[in-house]
Amino acid sequence: MRTDAASLPTTRAVRWWSAAVAGVVFLVFLGTLSNEFVWDDEQFIVKNWYLTSWRYLPQLFTQNIVAGTGLVSNLYRPLQMVTHFVDVQLWDYQPWAHHLSTVLIHVVASVAVFRLLVSLCPPAPAALAALLFAIHPIQSYAVAYTCGRGDGLAILFICLTLLIARRHPWW
């Protein structure tokens, strides 16, 4: 399964393992689609009027995460709020759709973990480690409620940054 030239896994093997990791992670968290909004979801999403109109989009980049509810917080997560904004624009306040987005972010983050690991070790151990990361019980809070997607977004962008740095060190 390794190429002679670079001793890296072949593209076909990496794609297969990536799909396997994605499928397992999606199936594990499929049950969260029936969840309602819980915990911070009310302030971050349901009562946040900044998510209701395009005219409030600039506020998502300049104010705290719950400013749209009139509350004050020291959390500033504009990318996470943009994902909630997109969900509200596409799906309104359908909890299953917001949970689907959170699950998909976790799936993509888990594949990014695998892709980073497969650049360091063979595909099978990399997939096992990525699955351990993805389905570890500590991840359940980050995936079970929609406001936990900030963790998945952070891991995703950390892995993407490290992958880019490995391929283009001069960046």
Side-chain angles (χ1 to χ4, degrees):
M1 291 250 168
R2 293 191 170 273
T3 60
D4 293 335
S7 90
L8 291 174
T10 63
T11 304
R12 179 180 227 154
V14 170
R15 285 184 186 151
W16 186 91
W17 282 103
S18 295
V21 167
V24 168
V25 174
F26 185 78
L27 289 174
V28 166
F29 289 103
L30 188 60
T32 65
L33 300 185
S34 63
N35 291 353
E36 295 296 322
F37 290 122
V38 296
W39 300 328
D40 294 336
D41 293 344
E42 187 172 326
Q43 287 78 33
F44 284 29
I45 301 165
V46 178
K47 292 183 177 179
N48 194 332
W49 66 83
Y50 286 173
L51 304 179
T52 62
S53 171
W54 286 91
R55 70 180 173 167
Y56 296 121
L57 193 59
Q59 280 84 347
L60 298 179
F61 293 96
T62 60
Q63 297 186 19
N64 72 71
I65 200 163
V66 291
T69 63
L71 298 173
V72 177
S73 170
N74 62 353
L75 288 176
Y76 175 71
R77 297 182 179 170
L79 182 60
Q80 179 179 345
M81 291 311 293
V82 167
T83 67
H84 293 305
F85 174 81
V86 169
D87 280 350
V88 169
Q89 298 307 304
L90 290 175
W91 314 109
D92 199 36
Y93 293 96
Q94 299 295 319
W96 70 268
H98 291 261
H99 286 291
L100 176 63
S101 294
T102 302
V103 169
L104 292 176
I105 288 169
H106 187 64
V107 166
V108 172
S110 299
V111 171
V113 167
F114 166 71
R115 290 295 187 116
L116 179 62
L117 292 172
V118 84
S119 72
L120 303 170
C121 66
L128 179 61
L131 285 171
L132 287 173
F133 156 77
I135 63 175
H136 191 279
I138 202 166
Q139 297 297 352
S140 62
Y141 92 94
V143 184
Y145 78 108
T146 58
C147 290
R149 71 175 60 169
D151 292 4
L153 289 167
I155 284 291
L156 172 62
F157 285 102
I158 288 169
C159 289
L160 291 176
T161 300
L162 292 171
L163 283 166
I164 290 169
R166 281 186 62 78
R167 293 190 182 168
H168 307 286
W170 50 271
W171 276 19

